[in-house]
Amino acid sequence: MKIIWLGHASLRIELEGQVLLIDPWLDGNPMLPDDRYDEATKGATHVLITHGHGDHASSGAELCKTLGVPAVGIFDLMGYWEEKHGIDVVGFNKGGTVDLGGVKVTMVNATHSSSFSGEDGPVYAGHESGYMIEGEGHVIYVSGDTDIMADMEWMGDLHKPDIGILCAGGHFTMDMKRAAYAAKRYFDFRTVIPYHYKTFGALEQSAEALAAGLPGVDVIEPEVLVAIEV
């Protein structure tokens, strides 16, 4: 398995022979060099979207067209993309599990907001979400944009993820200390990878507080386009 950070909240996860792009923000992502887009997206089999905000979803539909792969995400947004952009989609909802070529993906709750910009203001984009991704003997929890929530208790108990990819930049989501609290209280991770940080000055720039709050857990600060192999 390879987990590759594409900057901000964008991920490339390779497992079970599939290549999942999660919230692949290309145009406008200050952390992803323009000349490395092909490297970031090569061989992708699916595009997963956690919610509709531009720094997560703005490249999604066009990328699916270019690559000829389906978009996967909340039913409301997927239905809209299917009609507007004519792409293949897999729309589902909280508690649902889909099989993406041997990778089992379950949609779980998050607490945030979800919309995109329209001519008359924000447009509803379905509900924000996270994912439990199962394959190759591992369960990865990709939190999406969220704060701490009580749902994490049953999510950790039921799915038992061993890898946590947690939003931890603060301002728009939980910060490093809150992410550490959530991981320690509700989960039993062996590996934690922070994301949704460093991108802008308003966000946290270091994961030191996350690592300090999780003794005994392998906290890995990702580097853009450098594979973390599990």
Side-chain angles (χ1 to χ4, degrees), residues 116-201:
F116 58 87
S117 298
E119 292 182 1
D120 298 316
V123 177
Y124 170 73
H127 204 272
E128 62 277 10
S129 62
Y131 292 114
M132 295 289 178
I133 301 173
E134 183 176 355
E136 298 182 12
H138 296 278
V139 178
I140 307 166
Y141 170 43
V142 177
S143 71
D145 283 11
T146 192
D147 188 21
I148 302 166
M149 55 183 176
D151 282 0
M152 289 176 172
E153 182 171 11
W154 68 257
M155 286 160 53
D157 184 56
L158 178 61
H159 292 279
K160 295 180 171 54
D162 57 302
I163 300 169
I165 303 177
L166 307 179
C167 63
H171 195 80
F172 299 105
T173 73
M174 58 187 178
D175 60 16
M176 294 293 170
K177 289 183 178 179
R178 294 172 79 86
Y181 174 89
K184 188 172 182 178
R185 175 163 180 175
Y186 297 123
F187 299 97
D188 188 21
F189 296 124
R190 292 203 297 266
T191 302
V192 168
I193 302 167
Y195 81 149
H196 206 286
Y197 79 120
K198 288 189 177 181
T199 323
F200 314 109

